[in-house]
Every structure is written in C-alpha cells, then in structure tokens.
Amino acid sequence: MGEVYSNYINGEWRESKSGNLIDSINPANLEVVGSVQFSTIEEVTEAIDAAKLAKKEWRQLGQFNRGQILYKAAEALENNLQDVAETLTKEMGKTLPEAIGETQRGIAILKYYASEGARKEGDVIPASDKDALMFTKRAPLGVVGIITPWNFPVAIPIWKIAPALVYGNTIVFKPASEAAVTAAKVVKCFEEAGLPKGVLNFITGSGSQVGNALINSKDINGITFTGSENTGHLVAKAASVNGVKYQLEMGGKNPVIVLNDANVNNAVNAVLSGAFKSTGQKCTASSRVIVQSGIYNQFKSMLLEEASKITVGDGLLNDTWMGPCANESQYNTVLEYIQIGQEEGANIIYGGKPVESNTNGFYVEPTIFENVSSDMRIAQEEIFGPVISLIQVDTTEEAIEVANDTQYGLSASIFTTNIGSALTFMEEIEAGLVRVNAESAGVELQAPFGGMKMSSTGTREQGESAKEFYTAVKTVFVKAE
Ligand SMILES: NC(=O)C1=CN([C@@H]2O[C@H](COP(=O)(O)OP(=O)(O)OC[C@H]3O[C@@H](n4cnc5c(N)ncnc54)[C@H](OP(=O)(O)O)[C@@H]3O)[C@@H](O)[C@H]2O)C=CC1
Ligand SMILES: O=C(O)CCC(=O)C(=O)O
C-alpha cells in the first residue's frame, strides 16, 4: 500500500471521519500509487466554512502581497518537480517527459499570476462631472469551488488556483479521484509557500458526494469546472439555482484539416502528436482528420509509416512514446468506440487492439480509421483516447463544413500554404482555439483558453482572461463633497 494523503482544511492535514480511503491505481501496472480520503459531506461544509472565515484577511492582504506568495509556491513546486512529475506519470499514465513538461508549465503559470500581483486592479474613467473621480476596482468573488479532471492533474488545478488566489479569493479544491495524490503534492507546495490557514482547502472523495455537495453549496461565490459534459451540466444547473458565478470547460472533437497544398510532413507529425500524446486524453486532442482528396493517399501512407514507430508502454520507461489509458473505464470506453466504428462501417487501417503486457496495464494501440463519414458516432462523440478518423473531402469549403459539423468547438487546425485558405478557415471555423500549421493541442498560459458551442460556457481561462472570471468589477464615483 502507498502513502495515505489527508484533506487540507483550515491549514491542517486532516483524515476523514469516514475512516474510508480511495486508492489511486497506476494504469501501467495496477499498483497502488497512494490513497486519499473518502470524505463526508460534513467535511465539505468544514472546508467551505474555513474558506469563508479566511476570505476577509486574504482580501485585505492586497494583490501585490498575494502575488509574492505565489512566487514562493512556484519555488516550492520547482524544488519538488521530479517527485510531482513521477507521481503524475504513475497516477494517470502520461509519459515522464510529458509529466515533467506539465509540471514546468505549472511553475510558469504560478510565476505568471505571481507577477499579476504587481499589475493594475482597475482603470480610471473620465466622469461627466469634471470634479469627480471615477474608476473601476476589481474585487474578489469570495469563496471559489474548484473541480478538476485527471488528465492534467498539475496544470489545470494550478491554472485555476493561481488566478483565484492572486485576485483575492479563497478556495475549496476537489481534484479528480484518479489523480488526487498528485493534487495533494501540489497543495503541499502552496502550504510550503506560507498561505494563511483556510485560504486553500483541499478535499478528496467521490464526485457524486463531495463534488455534488460543493456545487450545491449556497456558501460559495464562484465555481470553476473542467471535465465531462454530464458533470458540467450539473455544475451549471446548481450554480444558476444558487446564483453562483460559474465557468465550465468540457469536451472537444477537434478537427485537423489537411489541404492539397499542405506541407505533408508537418501535417503528419502534428496529427500524430495532437492525437496520440497523452494517449489522446486531452480536450484539445485531434480526433477528426479531414484530408483533401488530392493529397489523401500520400498523407495516409506517411501517417501509417510514422504511426508504426509509436511505442506503447509504461510512461516511466525511456523508450515509451505513448502511455496507457488513465484507468479501466477509459480503456473500456476506447475499446467500445473501436467496436462501434467497425460496426458503423469504418475501416481500421492501423491499430485497433489492446496491447498485451505482463503488467495488465490499460494499453491500447494508437488507432486510425478511414472511410469515416461525419455522421458516424466515432466522428461525433468524444472518445478521449488514441483514436482518429480520416475523412476525405474535395474542397476547402467542404472541409470547413465537416470541421464545423459537431456540437463541440474547442480547438481546430488547418495545414495549408495558401494564405487565402488560412484566412477563410480563421473566419469560418467555430472554435475557441484556431491553429494554422500547428497541432490542435497546445495551450499557451498567457493566452485565453476556452471553446465555442458545447465545449465551454463562453468564459475563458488563463492569461488576462482569468481576471474576468475570478473578480467582480466595482465602479467607484468619488466627489470631494
Ligand atoms: N475536458 C476535459 O479536459 C476532460 C473531459 N473528460 C471527459 O469526461 C469523460 C469522463 O471522465 P470523468 O473523469 O468521469 O469526468 P467527470 O466529469 O466525472 O470528472 C471530472 C471531475 O468532476 C468530479 N465529479 C464527478 N461527478 C460529479 C458530480 N456529480 N458533482 C460534482 N463533481 C463531480 C470528478 O470527481 P471524481 O473523480 O471523484 O469522480 C472530477 O473531479 C471522459 O471520457 C472525457 O470524455 C474527462 C476529463 C477531462
Ligand atoms: O492541451 C492542453 O494543454 C490542455 C488541454 C485541456 O485543458 C484538457 O484536456 O483538459
């Protein structure tokens, strides 16, 4: 049995009174990575109460000083980089280089929002009365609930926690159970940074119990969520009933268009990386590859050649390019969709089977379908695994039409050397992230991140956009007398 991690409530590591634990399982070999608390609803209330109690003092500390604490959290994470990254790989399977990259990104996000501490909190606006001073001032929301998924267990919590803190909010953070040990290690870095008690509260447990109690609380002022559509809808419903500000980041079914004039080599590399890195478990992963007929055969043969070089295995091993699915349920979902694709009449041209291992890991081959039409389930539903569909089209217009033929709108990319086609794509595509000659996955911490249609709720995370969610604007009008 691995180490046991407690909840962090009001500045103390506390075991749950339930006496029960949730084991976190390594998807590469089914070993227990560690265990976290199976918390009770009463403990959610304790965490929210602690955050409520801490909010005045934290707000009054001021934005600059709050930023200084985030620099210390960045330093703490830097000191623990290797351990956090290895835990991440063990918990959810992505390869160690990817886990190290994600942890480094977490450090960079902390530094970005630390420096935000020294930036402006509002604007002076000319009043109609020349003797008055009118300005805006950003105020924190108060207590923010943060619910995160398992696919980016370091970056996603940090890109929510860091802006929430610097703008003066206190937090109740509920991580995905699949990746809660990594999350506990991230929280320890905030503790090491010297956060006052109650400012960041961490509680683990089942989504349907702990998560549900958090989203239905009348004592939170904001809730931010990344995960599945089903849960996202529950968050939105509860938040609107309680008048709580909310933000959702959900799925994607991201297209990559490859036109006849594309640099095929670049397109092939971007599709493989965008589709199969992190075992396809990114909301920005490429899943529909829409290829113009003139280049289809050349693209397909290069894609197959490069796909054959992908090595699947334990993410901690040096020669592994792609790790396992994060858990048994994802593994079964991926295999089910491979079955569905075949029943729908699509052809597997690469992969399609589990990868046998002597460790019983949740390994699946990178899988490529062709003869896919846009109305098939494998072209419409988020698989969240290493599966792509090749869809052949004749024209740029048809390619964009197929790309938009989805309920999602997170990321979309095009490969072309024609600036006119690129401009048309930028204009016509229904996606929050528009990428030209670059893979669909790839998020810059200083830029707005979020989608259109069913992928998000219109709000954006990261960069300067985070301020819009984590603060309310006060418009102040002052006259001397
Ligand atoms: N957009 C994205 O980045 C992600 C998308 N997904 C999509 O979702 C599918 C399922 O993944 P899954 O992990 O089950 O996603 P969920 O939406 O169930 O989980 C995301 C987070 O929500 C919590 N949660 C679950 N149920 C509730 C609830 N009723 N109220 C409040 N919080 C809750 C989870 O806790 P707990 O872990 O304890 O259940 C977890 O912290 C994937 O196959 C993929 O398609 C998944 C992850 C990320
Ligand atoms: O592509 C990324 O780096 C982030 C994607 C993401 O937010 C997600 O998959 O949930």
Side-chain angles (χ1 to χ4, degrees), residues 276-350:
F276 300 138
K277 280 284 176 192
S278 281
T279 322
Q281 300 168 132
K282 296 182 187 177
C283 57
T284 50
S286 312
S287 59
R288 296 176 297 140
V289 186
I290 302 160
V291 189
Q292 205 171 359
S293 37
I295 206 171
Y296 186 86
N297 288 333
Q298 188 193 353
F299 175 83
K300 176 176 137 183
S301 69
M302 280 176 73
L303 185 72
L304 292 176
E305 191 186 328
E306 292 304 312
S308 70
K309 297 176 189 161
I310 291 178
T311 48
V312 181
D314 185 335
L316 286 180
L317 301 177
N318 281 339
D319 56 359
T320 296
W321 191 95
M322 189 176 97
C325 296
N327 55 50
E328 190 168 10
S329 145
Q330 283 303 129
Y331 171 79
N332 289 332
T333 304
V334 170
L335 294 177
E336 267 168 43
Y337 272 106
I338 291 173
Q339 181 70 30
I340 289 168
Q342 290 170 285
E343 285 163 10
E344 285 179 310
N347 297 340
I348 293 178
I349 54 171
Y350 192 81

Side-chain angles (χ1 to χ4, degrees), residues 12 47 94 102 105 149-150 159 175 193 208-209 214 230 248 296 302 310 325 336 339 368 406-407 428 445 449 458:
E12 287 171 2
K94 73 175 62 170
E102 181 181 337
R105 187 164 140 200
W150 43 261
W159 84 47
S208 56
Q209 188 163 312
L214 182 58
N230 286 346
L248 312 177
Y296 186 86
M302 280 176 73
I310 291 178
C325 296
E336 267 168 43
Q339 181 70 30
I368 305 174
T406 163
Q407 60 169 332
E428 300 299 327
L445 63 97
F449 170 67

Side-chain angles (χ1 to χ4, degrees), residues 85-287:
E86 278 176 20
T87 308
L88 197 172
T89 293
K90 285 184 193 162
E91 262 198 312
M92 62 71 64
K94 73 175 62 170
T95 63
L96 188 58
E98 289 178 279
I100 290 174
E102 181 181 337
T103 310
Q104 285 166 334
R105 187 164 140 200
I107 296 164
I109 296 169
L110 281 165
K111 289 182 181 167
Y112 176 90
Y113 286 106
S115 68
E116 187 65 10
R119 295 206 190 91
K120 64 177 188 171
E121 289 179 289
D123 293 303
V124 177
I125 300 162
S128 54
D129 180 340
K130 70 175 178 46
D131 296 323
L133 170 64
M134 186 164 70
F135 62 95
T136 59
K137 182 161 171 38
R138 298 270 173 179
L141 300 180
V143 176
V144 173
I146 294 181
I147 300 183
T148 55
W150 43 261
N151 63 336
F152 283 88
V154 174
I156 294 181
I158 290 180
W159 84 47
K160 293 176 188 293
I161 292 172
L165 290 180
V166 81
Y167 298 125
N169 301 282
T170 57
I171 294 171
V172 178
F173 166 36
K174 189 251 170 272
S177 301
E178 297 288 343
V181 172
T182 308
K185 291 189 175 188
V186 170
V187 169
K188 277 182 193 285
C189 295
F190 285 96
E191 182 194 25
E192 270 181 47
L195 265 191
K197 67 176 187 179
V199 170
L200 172 60
N201 302 279
F202 168 73
I203 182 157
T204 56
S206 89
S208 56
Q209 188 163 312
V210 168
N212 187 58
L214 182 58
I215 66 178
N216 283 293
S217 168
K218 292 187 174 23
D219 286 326
I220 56 170
N221 309 100
I223 182 117
T224 172
F225 168 84
T226 302
S228 70
E229 244 177 278
N230 286 346
T231 312
H233 292 152
L234 297 177
V235 175
K237 213 164 143 191
S240 35
V241 168
N242 293 331
V244 168
K245 191 171 181 184
Y246 67 94
Q247 174 181 62
L248 312 177
E249 293 299 340
M250 299 172 290
K253 192 71 193 172
N254 309 296
V256 181
I257 295 175
V258 184
L259 295 185
N260 286 342
D261 56 21
N263 177 324
V264 188
N265 200 30
N266 290 349
V268 165
N269 289 333
V271 165
L272 291 175
S273 170
F276 300 138
K277 280 284 176 192
S278 281
T279 322
Q281 300 168 132
K282 296 182 187 177
C283 57
T284 50
S286 312
S287 59

Side-chain angles (χ1 to χ4, degrees), residues 468-479:
E468 300 307 324
F469 179 70
Y470 292 103
T471 64
V473 174
K474 287 181 177 172
T475 304
V476 184
F477 182 92
V478 189
K479 263 198 96 169

